Amino acid sequence: MRSLSSKDTMLIQPPAARACALLEGAGHAAFVVGGCVRDTLMGRPCHDWDVATSALPDETMRVFRGCRAIATGLRHGTVTVLLDGEPIEITTFRTEGSYSDGRHPDGVRFAASIEEDLSRRDFTMNAVAYSARAGFVDPFGGREDIARGVIRCVGDAQTRFSEDGLRILRAVRFASQLGFDVGRGTEEGLYRCAGMLERISAERKASELEKLLCAPFAAQTVGRFAPLLRTVLPVSANAAALLSRLPASRTLRFAALLSDCAPQDAQDVLRGLKTDKKLLTAVGTLLSACAEPLPETVPDLRRAIGRYGALWEDVLAFRAAFFDEKSPPYRSIAAIRRETEAVLARNDCCTAAALAIGGNDLRGLGLAGPEVGRTLRRLLDAVIDGRLPNERKALLDVVNTTSVGQPTSNEKR
């Protein structure tokens, strides 16, 4: 069982404590609630503090009339107040109606108590409230579940997931972030309601998946919930093993998840999730690179570094993740990684941009049009191969000679 920071009291961040004190001083009940309580009990850093109060929105606005208060969600009872430079979301106790679209409540009504407000929340660990005056309010055993490391729905799991399909991915994401187990009943509800995932926007799916994949317990979580995640995207058969060997880079982690896909298919999946173009391109490049031969010589390595740029180290990390550390392929990749470090430390020329001369120099010598680019490529080839030093005078001296004036063997191929 995990030890909580305190069983009876909790330290509240000063701006949130001040918000509660001002509300209580005006005769209203006020509690910090949700993720900030969970994370504080676990000893985790908390940056977003939410307050639940008996005050109606217009009453909240009056309490904070001397502060910057923004009616960010009056229809749902939410006012955001800036205290000591920190935004604090203050929401009136509320309950929610039906969820016709399987994602958002059709309406809300203000509730009479914090207990009623907590009963609408997703998981018990997020349904704990605290105030310095009243102490903890924990009607669903959330503190015990936090101590046990268990994710459990408030009330019936199937009901909670049927209301909002995003909660399905949130449960799995929390397991990946916190290392918590998913309770049996909650896990059964996940699979029974998996069809609700179709109602979630592509952007929200992508956001939850990225948080899940880059979290500390991603390998274990993906290994356990791969069948569920396959309702969203084609999870690789060895995704969990790859994730356990890769750093928490979203590019590497998404490539691992989609490693059974052809590059174009993986990009189509990411395009369907409406991820940014940078991720889509990088994942496609990593998967394509797996079919390329590894460089066998230093010139070949320089060309690879020039071709892949900043992604080259990810290419090597990704390819190494497919092998055991004692295997010959892994050792070969490890040797290439060491040689890469040496090439970068020496500042070897690997790209045309790193040449000691550029296009303007060549145009000054009378070259024009496509010939400028062709000559730069031939000069680069000669420098990479060690046939020319990357020195301005040496390169200018040979611009019109056959050593760089004829196509190289690489260009012929």
Side-chain angles (χ1 to χ4, degrees):
M1 182 174 287
R2 302 160 194 261
S3 60
L4 302 184
S5 60
S6 170
K7 289 188 180 299
D8 302 308
T9 62
M10 190 183 85
L11 183 64
I12 305 176
Q13 186 186 54
R18 182 182 168 202
C20 290
L22 288 170
L23 286 163
E24 290 172 340
H28 307 291
F31 297 83
V32 290
V33 65
C36 61
V37 177
R38 178 198 69 229
D39 289 342
T40 301
L41 287 172
M42 293 181 65
R44 289 164 51 90
C46 178
H47 306 291
D48 298 317
W49 289 79
D50 296 329
V51 172
T53 181
S54 60
L56 296 174
D58 59 334
E59 294 173 326
T60 299
M61 295 290 285
R62 284 198 295 272
V63 170
F64 295 97
R65 59 184 174 273
C67 307
R68 185 180 177 188
I70 307 166
T72 49
L74 282 184
R75 188 166 69 91
H76 296 103
T78 300
V79 174
T80 299
V81 178
L82 199 65
L83 293 175
D84 303 328
E86 294 291 331
I88 307 295
E89 276 200 358
I90 302 172
T91 302
T92 303
F93 299 156
R94 71 189 194 194
T95 59
E96 297 169 345
S98 59
Y99 288 68
S100 297
D101 66 354
R103 178 68 187 89
H104 307 94
D106 296 333
V108 301
R109 69 173 180 82
F110 298 134
S113 68
I114 184 62
E115 289 84 359
E116 195 174 359
D117 180 274
L118 295 175
S119 69
R120 70 178 173 83
R121 296 177 183 262
D122 51 6
F123 309 115
T124 60
M125 64 181 184
N126 296 331
V128 182
Y130 176 82
S131 80
R133 177 179 294 181
F136 286 103
V137 178
D138 182 14
F140 304 104
R143 285 187 296 164
E144 181 182 353
D145 284 343
I146 293 170
R148 293 190 303 131
V150 174
I151 297 170
R152 186 167 57 87
C153 283
V154 172
D156 177 69
Q158 193 165 345
T159 300
R160 291 284 84 84
F161 294 134
S162 295
E163 290 171 341
D164 181 358
L166 185 63
R167 290 170 176 167
I168 297 171
L169 287 182
R170 278 171 56 84
V172 181
R173 186 250 295 174
F174 279 130
S176 185
Q177 289 178 322
L178 305 176
F180 280 19
D181 187 32
V182 176
R184 181 177 176 181
T186 297
E187 182 171 1
E188 290 174 354
L190 290 175
Y191 283 97
R192 285 175 183 162
C193 298
M196 295 294 297
L197 293 171
E198 296 178 3
R199 302 194 183 189
I200 304 172
S201 71
E203 295 89 345
R204 292 308 298 267
K205 289 178 185 176
S207 175
E208 290 295 326
L209 286 169
E210 181 172 333
K211 293 173 186 175
L212 185 164
L213 289 174
C214 294
F217 302 95
Q220 300 94 310
T221 303
V222 169
R224 177 174 174 180
F225 292 103
L228 177 70
L229 295 175
R230 287 191 182 108
T231 64
V232 177
L233 76 176
V235 177
S236 162
N238 63 341
L242 293 175
L243 291 170
S244 70
R245 298 168 183 159
L246 289 168
S249 151
R250 69 176 192 142
T251 300
L252 289 168
R253 295 291 177 94
F254 268 105
L257 201 68
L258 299 172
S259 59
D260 285 349
C261 295
Q264 184 60 55
D265 293 340
Q267 290 183 319
D268 287 344
V269 169
L270 295 176
R271 194 174 288 110
L273 289 172
K274 298 185 180 179
T275 62
D276 58 87
K277 187 175 180 180
K278 182 179 179 181
L279 177 65
L280 187 150
T281 301
V283 168
T285 299
L286 289 181
L287 295 177
S288 295
C290 288
E292 298 288 330
L294 289 168
E296 297 181 355
T297 66
V298 172
D300 286 345
L301 175 57
R302 292 175 183 143
R303 288 188 177 90
I305 293 172
R307 175 183 175 188
Y308 290 104
L311 204 58
W312 175 241
E313 293 186 32
D314 279 352
V315 168
L316 294 177
F318 186 60
R319 295 190 68 164
F322 286 86
F323 304 103
D324 180 84
E325 292 184 6
K326 296 180 180 179
S327 68
Y330 184 93
R331 290 199 295 269
S332 295
I333 296 170
I336 294 170
R337 295 174 88 168
R338 290 191 296 271
E339 189 59 44
T340 296
E341 292 176 3
V343 166
L344 296 177
R346 291 194 304 265
N347 200 28
D348 286 5
C349 179
C350 300
T351 65
L355 285 170
I357 65 172
N360 287 336
D361 296 300
L362 298 184
R363 282 185 283 272
L365 293 175
L367 278 69
E371 186 60 27
V372 172
R374 285 195 295 266
T375 301
L376 286 174
R377 288 192 294 272
R378 291 166 191 165
L379 287 171
L380 175 63
D381 215 37
V383 169
I384 284 177
D385 285 336
R387 293 182 279 115
L388 279 176
N390 188 24
E391 298 171 0
R392 179 177 174 80
K393 183 177 183 305
L395 297 178
L396 290 174
D397 284 346
V398 298
V399 164
N400 293 315
T401 67
T402 55
S403 61
V404 296
Q406 299 299 323
T408 65
S409 57
N410 286 337
E411 288 177 308
K412 290 176 181 176
R413 287 197 295 268

